[in-house]
PDB file of all heavy atoms in Angstrom:
ATOM      1  N   ARG G  33     -46.504  80.980 -56.000  1.00 36.00           N
ATOM      2  CA  ARG G  33     -45.468  81.500 -56.908  1.00 36.00           C
ATOM      3  C   ARG G  33     -44.140  80.789 -56.692  1.00 36.00           C
ATOM      4  O   ARG G  33     -43.407  80.559 -57.635  1.00 36.00           O
ATOM      5  CB  ARG G  33     -45.306  83.011 -56.711  1.00 36.00           C
ATOM      6  CG  ARG G  33     -46.563  83.757 -57.064  1.00 36.00           C
ATOM      7  CD  ARG G  33     -46.277  85.058 -57.757  1.00 36.00           C
ATOM      8  NE  ARG G  33     -47.548  85.734 -58.028  1.00 36.00           N
ATOM      9  CZ  ARG G  33     -48.102  85.779 -59.228  1.00 36.00           C
ATOM     10  NH1 ARG G  33     -47.493  85.239 -60.262  1.00 36.00           N
ATOM     11  NH2 ARG G  33     -49.254  86.375 -59.405  1.00 36.00           N
ATOM     12  N   ARG G  34     -43.865  80.442 -55.465  1.00 33.00           N
ATOM     13  CA  ARG G  34     -42.635  79.703 -55.212  1.00 33.00           C
ATOM     14  C   ARG G  34     -42.640  78.394 -55.980  1.00 33.00           C
ATOM     15  O   ARG G  34     -41.654  77.992 -56.574  1.00 33.00           O
ATOM     16  CB  ARG G  34     -42.504  79.394 -53.728  1.00 33.00           C
ATOM     17  CG  ARG G  34     -42.168  80.589 -52.895  1.00 33.00           C
ATOM     18  CD  ARG G  34     -42.107  80.150 -51.465  1.00 33.00           C
ATOM     19  NE  ARG G  34     -40.976  79.247 -51.282  1.00 33.00           N
ATOM     20  CZ  ARG G  34     -39.804  79.668 -50.831  1.00 33.00           C
ATOM     21  NH1 ARG G  34     -39.627  80.932 -50.523  1.00 33.00           N
ATOM     22  NH2 ARG G  34     -38.810  78.820 -50.672  1.00 33.00           N
ATOM     23  N   LYS G  35     -43.774  77.774 -55.963  1.00 35.00           N
ATOM     24  CA  LYS G  35     -43.881  76.495 -56.658  1.00 35.00           C
ATOM     25  C   LYS G  35     -43.674  76.674 -58.164  1.00 35.00           C
ATOM     26  O   LYS G  35     -43.016  75.878 -58.805  1.00 35.00           O
ATOM     27  CB  LYS G  35     -45.277  75.916 -56.436  1.00 35.00           C
ATOM     28  CG  LYS G  35     -45.371  74.971 -55.259  1.00 35.00           C
ATOM     29  CD  LYS G  35     -46.730  74.330 -55.210  1.00 35.00           C
ATOM     30  CE  LYS G  35     -46.664  72.887 -55.598  1.00 35.00           C
ATOM     31  NZ  LYS G  35     -46.269  71.981 -54.538  1.00 35.00           N
ATOM     32  N   MET G  36     -44.233  77.731 -58.676  1.00 35.00           N
ATOM     33  CA  MET G  36     -44.191  77.900 -60.119  1.00 35.00           C
ATOM     34  C   MET G  36     -42.799  78.185 -60.652  1.00 35.00           C
ATOM     35  O   MET G  36     -42.521  77.964 -61.807  1.00 35.00           O
ATOM     36  CB  MET G  36     -45.139  79.032 -60.542  1.00 35.00           C
ATOM     37  CG  MET G  36     -46.610  78.701 -60.373  1.00 35.00           C
ATOM     38  SD  MET G  36     -47.005  77.095 -61.040  1.00 35.00           S
ATOM     39  CE  MET G  36     -46.599  77.357 -62.762  1.00 35.00           C
ATOM     40  N   GLN G  37     -41.912  78.685 -59.821  1.00 32.00           N
ATOM     41  CA  GLN G  37     -40.572  78.993 -60.299  1.00 32.00           C
ATOM     42  C   GLN G  37     -39.847  77.752 -60.812  1.00 32.00           C
ATOM     43  O   GLN G  37     -38.921  77.839 -61.592  1.00 32.00           O
ATOM     44  CB  GLN G  37     -39.751  79.625 -59.160  1.00 32.00           C
ATOM     45  CG  GLN G  37     -40.108  81.088 -58.970  1.00 32.00           C
ATOM     46  CD  GLN G  37     -39.633  81.607 -57.638  1.00 32.00           C
ATOM     47  OE1 GLN G  37     -38.929  80.900 -56.917  1.00 32.00           O
ATOM     48  NE2 GLN G  37     -40.025  82.815 -57.295  1.00 32.00           N
ATOM     49  N   THR G  38     -40.273  76.606 -60.353  1.00 35.00           N
ATOM     50  CA  THR G  38     -39.586  75.408 -60.780  1.00 35.00           C
ATOM     51  C   THR G  38     -40.116  74.880 -62.105  1.00 35.00           C
ATOM     52  O   THR G  38     -39.577  73.949 -62.663  1.00 35.00           O
ATOM     53  CB  THR G  38     -39.753  74.297 -59.732  1.00 35.00           C
ATOM     54  OG1 THR G  38     -41.141  73.994 -59.635  1.00 35.00           O
ATOM     55  CG2 THR G  38     -39.232  74.725 -58.379  1.00 35.00           C
ATOM     56  N   VAL G  39     -41.184  75.457 -62.595  1.00 35.00           N
ATOM     57  CA  VAL G  39     -41.756  74.949 -63.841  1.00 35.00           C
ATOM     58  C   VAL G  39     -41.017  75.556 -65.040  1.00 35.00           C
ATOM     59  O   VAL G  39     -40.809  76.758 -65.121  1.00 35.00           O
ATOM     60  CB  VAL G  39     -43.253  75.323 -63.922  1.00 35.00           C
ATOM     61  CG1 VAL G  39     -43.839  74.906 -65.248  1.00 35.00           C
ATOM     62  CG2 VAL G  39     -43.994  74.685 -62.776  1.00 35.00           C
ATOM     63  N   ASN G  40     -40.609  74.697 -65.942  1.00 38.00           N
ATOM     64  CA  ASN G  40     -39.956  75.201 -67.160  1.00 38.00           C
ATOM     65  C   ASN G  40     -41.016  75.608 -68.172  1.00 38.00           C
ATOM     66  O   ASN G  40     -41.811  74.795 -68.601  1.00 38.00           O
ATOM     67  CB  ASN G  40     -39.085  74.103 -67.779  1.00 38.00           C
ATOM     68  CG  ASN G  40     -37.961  73.740 -66.854  1.00 38.00           C
ATOM     69  OD1 ASN G  40     -37.408  74.635 -66.195  1.00 38.00           O
ATOM     70  ND2 ASN G  40     -37.648  72.469 -66.784  1.00 38.00           N
ATOM     71  N   SER G  41     -40.993  76.840 -68.517  1.00 37.00           N
ATOM     72  CA  SER G  41     -42.004  77.284 -69.471  1.00 37.00           C
ATOM     73  C   SER G  41     -41.319  77.841 -70.702  1.00 37.00           C
ATOM     74  O   SER G  41     -40.212  78.347 -70.636  1.00 37.00           O
ATOM     75  CB  SER G  41     -42.846  78.391 -68.853  1.00 37.00           C
ATOM     76  OG  SER G  41     -43.280  77.995 -67.583  1.00 37.00           O
ATOM     77  N   PRO G  42     -41.988  77.717 -71.853  1.00 38.00           N
ATOM     78  CA  PRO G  42     -41.439  78.337 -73.069  1.00 38.00           C
ATOM     79  C   PRO G  42     -41.474  79.850 -72.922  1.00 38.00           C
ATOM     80  O   PRO G  42     -42.275  80.379 -72.140  1.00 38.00           O
ATOM     81  CB  PRO G  42     -42.417  77.858 -74.146  1.00 38.00           C
ATOM     82  CG  PRO G  42     -43.669  77.510 -73.431  1.00 38.00           C
ATOM     83  CD  PRO G  42     -43.285  77.117 -72.051  1.00 38.00           C
ATOM     84  N   PRO G  43     -40.598  80.574 -73.651  1.00 38.00           N
ATOM     85  CA  PRO G  43     -40.615  82.037 -73.555  1.00 38.00           C
ATOM     86  C   PRO G  43     -41.967  82.588 -73.978  1.00 38.00           C
ATOM     87  O   PRO G  43     -42.617  82.077 -74.883  1.00 38.00           O
ATOM     88  CB  PRO G  43     -39.495  82.470 -74.506  1.00 38.00           C
ATOM     89  CG  PRO G  43     -39.119  81.254 -75.279  1.00 38.00           C
ATOM     90  CD  PRO G  43     -39.601  80.068 -74.542  1.00 38.00           C
ATOM     91  N   LEU G  44     -42.391  83.587 -73.274  1.00 35.00           N
ATOM     92  CA  LEU G  44     -43.704  84.158 -73.567  1.00 35.00           C
ATOM     93  C   LEU G  44     -43.587  85.362 -74.479  1.00 35.00           C
ATOM     94  O   LEU G  44     -42.571  86.045 -74.503  1.00 35.00           O
ATOM     95  CB  LEU G  44     -44.344  84.616 -72.254  1.00 35.00           C
ATOM     96  CG  LEU G  44     -44.880  83.536 -71.334  1.00 35.00           C
ATOM     97  CD1 LEU G  44     -45.246  84.168 -70.011  1.00 35.00           C
ATOM     98  CD2 LEU G  44     -46.069  82.852 -71.970  1.00 35.00           C
ATOM     99  N   PRO G  45     -44.629  85.632 -75.268  1.00 35.00           N
ATOM    100  CA  PRO G  45     -44.632  86.874 -76.045  1.00 35.00           C
ATOM    101  C   PRO G  45     -44.585  88.066 -75.100  1.00 35.00           C
ATOM    102  O   PRO G  45     -45.172  88.031 -74.035  1.00 35.00           O
ATOM    103  CB  PRO G  45     -45.955  86.817 -76.806  1.00 35.00           C
ATOM    104  CG  PRO G  45     -46.801  85.790 -76.129  1.00 35.00           C
ATOM    105  CD  PRO G  45     -45.853  84.865 -75.453  1.00 35.00           C
ATOM    106  N   THR G  46     -43.866  89.094 -75.495  1.00 37.00           N
ATOM    107  CA  THR G  46     -43.703  90.228 -74.590  1.00 37.00           C
ATOM    108  C   THR G  46     -44.970  91.053 -74.466  1.00 37.00           C
ATOM    109  O   THR G  46     -45.263  91.601 -73.436  1.00 37.00           O
ATOM    110  CB  THR G  46     -42.554  91.141 -75.036  1.00 37.00           C
ATOM    111  OG1 THR G  46     -42.681  91.301 -76.448  1.00 37.00           O
ATOM    112  CG2 THR G  46     -41.220  90.545 -74.682  1.00 37.00           C
ATOM    113  N   THR G  47     -45.722  91.098 -75.536  1.00 37.00           N
ATOM    114  CA  THR G  47     -46.970  91.846 -75.421  1.00 37.00           C
ATOM    115  C   THR G  47     -48.071  90.907 -74.958  1.00 37.00           C
ATOM    116  O   THR G  47     -48.307  89.859 -75.539  1.00 37.00           O
ATOM    117  CB  THR G  47     -47.396  92.449 -76.771  1.00 37.00           C
ATOM    118  OG1 THR G  47     -47.430  91.385 -77.724  1.00 37.00           O
ATOM    119  CG2 THR G  47     -46.452  93.525 -77.220  1.00 37.00           C
ATOM    120  N   SER G  48     -48.723  91.288 -73.905  1.00 39.00           N
ATOM    121  CA  SER G  48     -49.754  90.401 -73.388  1.00 39.00           C
ATOM    122  C   SER G  48     -51.088  90.664 -74.077  1.00 39.00           C
ATOM    123  O   SER G  48     -51.343  91.742 -74.590  1.00 39.00           O
ATOM    124  CB  SER G  48     -49.900  90.582 -71.883  1.00 39.00           C
ATOM    125  OG  SER G  48     -50.230  91.923 -71.619  1.00 39.00           O
ATOM    126  N   LEU G  49     -51.904  89.651 -74.084  1.00 38.00           N
ATOM    127  CA  LEU G  49     -53.218  89.761 -74.697  1.00 38.00           C
ATOM    128  C   LEU G  49     -54.115  90.615 -73.823  1.00 38.00           C
ATOM    129  O   LEU G  49     -53.943  90.666 -72.617  1.00 38.00           O
ATOM    130  CB  LEU G  49     -53.847  88.364 -74.835  1.00 38.00           C
ATOM    131  CG  LEU G  49     -53.160  87.420 -75.795  1.00 38.00           C
ATOM    132  CD1 LEU G  49     -53.609  85.997 -75.524  1.00 38.00           C
ATOM    133  CD2 LEU G  49     -53.460  87.837 -77.228  1.00 38.00           C
ATOM    134  N   PRO G  50     -55.099  91.236 -74.432  1.00 40.00           N
ATOM    135  CA  PRO G  50     -56.054  91.963 -73.592  1.00 40.00           C
ATOM    136  C   PRO G  50     -56.854  90.978 -72.751  1.00 40.00           C
ATOM    137  O   PRO G  50     -57.135  89.874 -73.207  1.00 40.00           O
ATOM    138  CB  PRO G  50     -56.963  92.684 -74.605  1.00 40.00           C
ATOM    139  CG  PRO G  50     -56.816  91.910 -75.866  1.00 40.00           C
ATOM    140  CD  PRO G  50     -55.433  91.337 -75.860  1.00 40.00           C
ATOM    141  N   PRO G  51     -57.198  91.360 -71.529  1.00 41.00           N
ATOM    142  CA  PRO G  51     -57.966  90.439 -70.678  1.00 41.00           C
ATOM    143  C   PRO G  51     -59.305  90.118 -71.307  1.00 41.00           C
ATOM    144  O   PRO G  51     -60.018  91.013 -71.744  1.00 41.00           O
ATOM    145  CB  PRO G  51     -58.177  91.235 -69.386  1.00 41.00           C
ATOM    146  CG  PRO G  51     -57.305  92.422 -69.473  1.00 41.00           C
ATOM    147  CD  PRO G  51     -56.960  92.643 -70.906  1.00 41.00           C
ATOM    148  N   PRO G  52     -59.620  88.838 -71.450  1.00 40.00           N
ATOM    149  CA  PRO G  52     -60.880  88.472 -72.068  1.00 40.00           C
ATOM    150  C   PRO G  52     -62.060  88.834 -71.170  1.00 40.00           C
ATOM    151  O   PRO G  52     -61.946  88.787 -69.954  1.00 40.00           O
ATOM    152  CB  PRO G  52     -60.801  86.961 -72.235  1.00 40.00           C
ATOM    153  CG  PRO G  52     -59.770  86.514 -71.279  1.00 40.00           C
ATOM    154  CD  PRO G  52     -58.874  87.679 -70.979  1.00 40.00           C
ATOM    155  N   ALA G  53     -63.145  89.231 -71.805  1.00 40.00           N
ATOM    156  CA  ALA G  53     -64.314  89.606 -71.026  1.00 40.00           C
ATOM    157  C   ALA G  53     -64.931  88.377 -70.350  1.00 40.00           C
ATOM    158  O   ALA G  53     -65.315  88.414 -69.202  1.00 40.00           O
ATOM    159  CB  ALA G  53     -65.350  90.274 -71.917  1.00 40.00           C
ATOM    160  N   VAL G  54     -65.024  87.304 -71.107  1.00 42.00           N
ATOM    161  CA  VAL G  54     -65.563  86.068 -70.547  1.00 42.00           C
ATOM    162  C   VAL G  54     -64.443  85.037 -70.548  1.00 42.00           C
ATOM    163  O   VAL G  54     -63.796  84.827 -71.566  1.00 42.00           O
ATOM    164  CB  VAL G  54     -66.751  85.545 -71.390  1.00 42.00           C
ATOM    165  CG1 VAL G  54     -67.427  84.389 -70.678  1.00 42.00           C
ATOM    166  CG2 VAL G  54     -67.736  86.653 -71.674  1.00 42.00           C
ATOM    167  N   ALA G  55     -64.220  84.438 -69.436  1.00 43.00           N
ATOM    168  CA  ALA G  55     -63.036  83.593 -69.315  1.00 43.00           C
ATOM    169  C   ALA G  55     -63.298  82.182 -69.772  1.00 43.00           C
ATOM    170  O   ALA G  55     -63.301  81.260 -68.992  1.00 43.00           O
ATOM    171  CB  ALA G  55     -62.561  83.601 -67.865  1.00 43.00           C
ATOM    172  N   ASP G  56     -63.616  82.000 -71.029  1.00 45.00           N
ATOM    173  CA  ASP G  56     -63.691  80.611 -71.451  1.00 45.00           C
ATOM    174  C   ASP G  56     -63.202  80.357 -72.870  1.00 45.00           C
ATOM    175  O   ASP G  56     -62.469  79.428 -73.103  1.00 45.00           O
ATOM    176  CB  ASP G  56     -65.110  80.054 -71.261  1.00 45.00           C
ATOM    177  CG  ASP G  56     -66.158  80.864 -71.987  1.00 45.00           C
ATOM    178  OD1 ASP G  56     -65.756  81.794 -72.740  1.00 45.00           O
ATOM    179  OD2 ASP G  56     -67.336  80.590 -71.819  1.00 45.00           O
ATOM    180  N   HIS G  57     -63.537  81.195 -73.855  1.00 44.00           N
ATOM    181  CA  HIS G  57     -63.295  80.762 -75.229  1.00 44.00           C
ATOM    182  C   HIS G  57     -61.936  81.134 -75.796  1.00 44.00           C
ATOM    183  O   HIS G  57     -61.573  80.677 -76.849  1.00 44.00           O
ATOM    184  CB  HIS G  57     -64.410  81.282 -76.146  1.00 44.00           C
ATOM    185  CG  HIS G  57     -64.480  82.773 -76.180  1.00 44.00           C
ATOM    186  ND1 HIS G  57     -65.095  83.499 -75.173  1.00 44.00           N
ATOM    187  CD2 HIS G  57     -64.016  83.654 -77.082  1.00 44.00           C
ATOM    188  CE1 HIS G  57     -64.988  84.786 -75.474  1.00 44.00           C
ATOM    189  NE2 HIS G  57     -64.349  84.895 -76.637  1.00 44.00           N
ATOM    190  N   ARG G  58     -61.185  82.004 -75.160  1.00 47.00           N
ATOM    191  CA  ARG G  58     -59.917  82.390 -75.787  1.00 47.00           C
ATOM    192  C   ARG G  58     -58.714  81.683 -75.181  1.00 47.00           C
ATOM    193  O   ARG G  58     -57.592  81.965 -75.517  1.00 47.00           O
ATOM    194  CB  ARG G  58     -59.704  83.894 -75.617  1.00 47.00           C
ATOM    195  CG  ARG G  58     -60.692  84.679 -76.446  1.00 47.00           C
ATOM    196  CD  ARG G  58     -60.224  86.090 -76.523  1.00 47.00           C
ATOM    197  NE  ARG G  58     -61.347  86.965 -76.786  1.00 47.00           N
ATOM    198  CZ  ARG G  58     -61.250  88.278 -76.706  1.00 47.00           C
ATOM    199  NH1 ARG G  58     -60.129  88.843 -76.344  1.00 47.00           N
ATOM    200  NH2 ARG G  58     -62.305  89.010 -76.959  1.00 47.00           N
ATOM    201  N   HIS G  59     -58.956  80.794 -74.283  1.00 48.00           N
ATOM    202  CA  HIS G  59     -57.811  80.212 -73.589  1.00 48.00           C
ATOM    203  C   HIS G  59     -56.920  79.391 -74.475  1.00 48.00           C
ATOM    204  O   HIS G  59     -55.761  79.181 -74.154  1.00 48.00           O
ATOM    205  CB  HIS G  59     -58.299  79.368 -72.416  1.00 48.00           C
ATOM    206  CG  HIS G  59     -58.951  80.208 -71.384  1.00 48.00           C
ATOM    207  ND1 HIS G  59     -58.227  81.047 -70.588  1.00 48.00           N
ATOM    208  CD2 HIS G  59     -60.246  80.391 -71.078  1.00 48.00           C
ATOM    209  CE1 HIS G  59     -59.069  81.700 -69.801  1.00 48.00           C
ATOM    210  NE2 HIS G  59     -60.311  81.318 -70.093  1.00 48.00           N
ATOM    211  N   HIS G  60     -57.478  78.909 -75.566  1.00 48.00           N
ATOM    212  CA  HIS G  60     -56.620  78.106 -76.445  1.00 48.00           C
ATOM    213  C   HIS G  60     -55.425  78.912 -76.915  1.00 48.00           C
ATOM    214  O   HIS G  60     -54.397  78.360 -77.259  1.00 48.00           O
ATOM    215  CB  HIS G  60     -57.435  77.575 -77.635  1.00 48.00           C
ATOM    216  CG  HIS G  60     -57.958  78.670 -78.511  1.00 48.00           C
ATOM    217  ND1 HIS G  60     -59.115  79.354 -78.210  1.00 48.00           N
ATOM    218  CD2 HIS G  60     -57.462  79.188 -79.651  1.00 48.00           C
ATOM    219  CE1 HIS G  60     -59.313  80.270 -79.166  1.00 48.00           C
ATOM    220  NE2 HIS G  60     -58.331  80.182 -80.050  1.00 48.00           N
ATOM    221  N   LEU G  61     -55.555  80.230 -76.896  1.00 51.00           N
ATOM    222  CA  LEU G  61     -54.433  81.063 -77.306  1.00 51.00           C
ATOM    223  C   LEU G  61     -53.239  80.896 -76.379  1.00 51.00           C
ATOM    224  O   LEU G  61     -52.102  81.078 -76.752  1.00 51.00           O
ATOM    225  CB  LEU G  61     -54.851  82.544 -77.321  1.00 51.00           C
ATOM    226  CG  LEU G  61     -55.914  82.898 -78.347  1.00 51.00           C
ATOM    227  CD1 LEU G  61     -56.360  84.329 -78.140  1.00 51.00           C
ATOM    228  CD2 LEU G  61     -55.349  82.693 -79.755  1.00 51.00           C
ATOM    229  N   LEU G  62     -53.529  80.532 -75.155  1.00 54.00           N
ATOM    230  CA  LEU G  62     -52.457  80.408 -74.179  1.00 54.00           C
ATOM    231  C   LEU G  62     -51.875  79.004 -74.130  1.00 54.00           C
ATOM    232  O   LEU G  62     -50.872  78.755 -73.487  1.00 54.00           O
ATOM    233  CB  LEU G  62     -52.996  80.741 -72.782  1.00 54.00           C
ATOM    234  CG  LEU G  62     -53.469  82.175 -72.598  1.00 54.00           C
ATOM    235  CD1 LEU G  62     -54.325  82.272 -71.359  1.00 54.00           C
ATOM    236  CD2 LEU G  62     -52.272  83.095 -72.513  1.00 54.00           C
ATOM    237  N   LEU G  63     -52.548  78.090 -74.786  1.00 51.00           N
ATOM    238  CA  LEU G  63     -52.115  76.705 -74.661  1.00 51.00           C
ATOM    239  C   LEU G  63     -50.891  76.431 -75.500  1.00 51.00           C
ATOM    240  O   LEU G  63     -50.798  76.854 -76.648  1.00 51.00           O
ATOM    241  CB  LEU G  63     -53.232  75.759 -75.107  1.00 51.00           C
ATOM    242  CG  LEU G  63     -54.435  75.713 -74.167  1.00 51.00           C
ATOM    243  CD1 LEU G  63     -55.508  74.829 -74.761  1.00 51.00           C
ATOM    244  CD2 LEU G  63     -54.010  75.222 -72.807  1.00 51.00           C
ATOM    245  N   PRO G  64     -49.941  75.721 -74.920  1.00 49.00           N
ATOM    246  CA  PRO G  64     -48.709  75.462 -75.659  1.00 49.00           C
ATOM    247  C   PRO G  64     -48.910  74.464 -76.796  1.00 49.00           C
ATOM    248  O   PRO G  64     -48.337  74.620 -77.851  1.00 49.00           O
ATOM    249  CB  PRO G  64     -47.780  74.892 -74.597  1.00 49.00           C
ATOM    250  CG  PRO G  64     -48.683  74.360 -73.527  1.00 49.00           C
ATOM    251  CD  PRO G  64     -49.920  75.203 -73.565  1.00 49.00           C
ATOM    252  N   THR G  65     -49.695  73.437 -76.592  1.00 47.00           N
ATOM    253  CA  THR G  65     -49.785  72.401 -77.622  1.00 47.00           C
ATOM    254  C   THR G  65     -51.203  72.164 -78.109  1.00 47.00           C
ATOM    255  O   THR G  65     -51.506  72.381 -79.268  1.00 47.00           O
ATOM    256  CB  THR G  65     -49.227  71.059 -77.105  1.00 47.00           C
ATOM    257  OG1 THR G  65     -49.821  70.818 -75.830  1.00 47.00           O
ATOM    258  CG2 THR G  65     -47.729  71.098 -76.989  1.00 47.00           C
ATOM    259  N   ALA G  66     -52.058  71.713 -77.207  1.00 46.00           N
ATOM    260  CA  ALA G  66     -53.394  71.314 -77.651  1.00 46.00           C
ATOM    261  C   ALA G  66     -54.450  72.281 -77.143  1.00 46.00           C
ATOM    262  O   ALA G  66     -54.175  73.163 -76.346  1.00 46.00           O
ATOM    263  CB  ALA G  66     -53.701  69.907 -77.151  1.00 46.00           C
ATOM    264  N   ALA G  67     -55.667  72.083 -77.573  1.00 55.00           N
ATOM    265  CA  ALA G  67     -56.751  72.954 -77.146  1.00 55.00           C
ATOM    266  C   ALA G  67     -57.113  72.694 -75.681  1.00 55.00           C
ATOM    267  O   ALA G  67     -57.558  73.582 -74.976  1.00 55.00           O
ATOM    268  CB  ALA G  67     -57.970  72.736 -78.021  1.00 55.00           C
ATOM    269  N   SER G  68     -56.930  71.466 -75.259  1.00 65.00           N
ATOM    270  CA  SER G  68     -57.280  71.141 -73.883  1.00 65.00           C
ATOM    271  C   SER G  68     -56.159  70.331 -73.244  1.00 65.00           C
ATOM    272  O   SER G  68     -55.727  69.331 -73.799  1.00 65.00           O
ATOM    273  CB  SER G  68     -58.579  70.336 -73.889  1.00 65.00           C
ATOM    274  OG  SER G  68     -59.180  70.387 -72.632  1.00 65.00           O
ATOM    275  N   PRO G  69     -55.683  70.771 -72.071  1.00 67.00           N
ATOM    276  CA  PRO G  69     -54.553  70.058 -71.460  1.00 67.00           C
ATOM    277  C   PRO G  69     -54.979  68.674 -70.978  1.00 67.00           C
ATOM    278  O   PRO G  69     -56.099  68.490 -70.512  1.00 67.00           O
ATOM    279  CB  PRO G  69     -54.180  70.949 -70.280  1.00 67.00           C
ATOM    280  CG  PRO G  69     -55.418  71.722 -69.986  1.00 67.00           C
ATOM    281  CD  PRO G  69     -56.132  71.888 -71.272  1.00 67.00           C
ATOM    282  N   THR G  70     -54.101  67.707 -71.129  1.00 68.00           N
ATOM    283  CA  THR G  70     -54.457  66.355 -70.704  1.00 68.00           C
ATOM    284  C   THR G  70     -53.499  65.810 -69.653  1.00 68.00           C
ATOM    285  O   THR G  70     -53.860  64.894 -68.931  1.00 68.00           O
ATOM    286  CB  THR G  70     -54.435  65.380 -71.898  1.00 68.00           C
ATOM    287  OG1 THR G  70     -53.166  65.484 -72.525  1.00 68.00           O
ATOM    288  CG2 THR G  70     -55.544  65.679 -72.869  1.00 68.00           C
ATOM    289  N   ASN G  71     -52.307  66.346 -69.589  1.00 68.00           N
ATOM    290  CA  ASN G  71     -51.439  65.821 -68.534  1.00 68.00           C
ATOM    291  C   ASN G  71     -50.900  66.962 -67.677  1.00 68.00           C
ATOM    292  O   ASN G  71     -51.059  68.145 -68.007  1.00 68.00           O
ATOM    293  CB  ASN G  71     -50.293  64.985 -69.118  1.00 68.00           C
ATOM    294  CG  ASN G  71     -49.400  65.816 -70.027  1.00 68.00           C
ATOM    295  OD1 ASN G  71     -49.107  66.976 -69.728  1.00 68.00           O
ATOM    296  ND2 ASN G  71     -48.998  65.241 -71.141  1.00 68.00           N
ATOM    297  N   ILE G  72     -50.260  66.590 -66.606  1.00 69.00           N
ATOM    298  CA  ILE G  72     -49.894  67.572 -65.598  1.00 69.00           C
ATOM    299  C   ILE G  72     -48.881  68.577 -66.152  1.00 69.00           C
ATOM    300  O   ILE G  72     -48.896  69.760 -65.815  1.00 69.00           O
ATOM    301  CB  ILE G  72     -49.375  66.866 -64.320  1.00 69.00           C
ATOM    302  CG1 ILE G  72     -49.352  67.834 -63.134  1.00 69.00           C
ATOM    303  CG2 ILE G  72     -48.019  66.237 -64.511  1.00 69.00           C
ATOM    304  CD1 ILE G  72     -50.723  68.222 -62.656  1.00 69.00           C
ATOM    305  N   HIS G  73     -48.045  68.105 -67.062  1.00 73.00           N
ATOM    306  CA  HIS G  73     -47.043  68.987 -67.654  1.00 73.00           C
ATOM    307  C   HIS G  73     -47.704  70.100 -68.461  1.00 73.00           C
ATOM    308  O   HIS G  73     -47.376  71.270 -68.331  1.00 73.00           O
ATOM    309  CB  HIS G  73     -46.116  68.149 -68.532  1.00 73.00           C
ATOM    310  CG  HIS G  73     -45.018  68.965 -69.138  1.00 73.00           C
ATOM    311  ND1 HIS G  73     -44.009  69.521 -68.373  1.00 73.00           N
ATOM    312  CD2 HIS G  73     -44.792  69.334 -70.420  1.00 73.00           C
ATOM    313  CE1 HIS G  73     -43.207  70.194 -69.168  1.00 73.00           C
ATOM    314  NE2 HIS G  73     -43.653  70.104 -70.415  1.00 73.00           N
TER     315      HIS G  73
END
Side-chain angles (χ1 to χ4, degrees):
Chain G
R33 297 218 182 256
R34 287 179 67 97
K35 267 187 108 82
M36 291 313 298
Q37 281 163 7
T38 62
V39 175
N40 296 322
S41 311
L44 286 170
T46 44
T47 54
S48 59
L49 294 163
V54 189
D56 56 6
H57 61 280
R58 291 194 204 170
H59 294 288
H60 63 277
L61 295 173
L62 296 164
L63 290 176
T65 49
S68 200
T70 54
N71 62 40
I72 196 69
H73 182 68

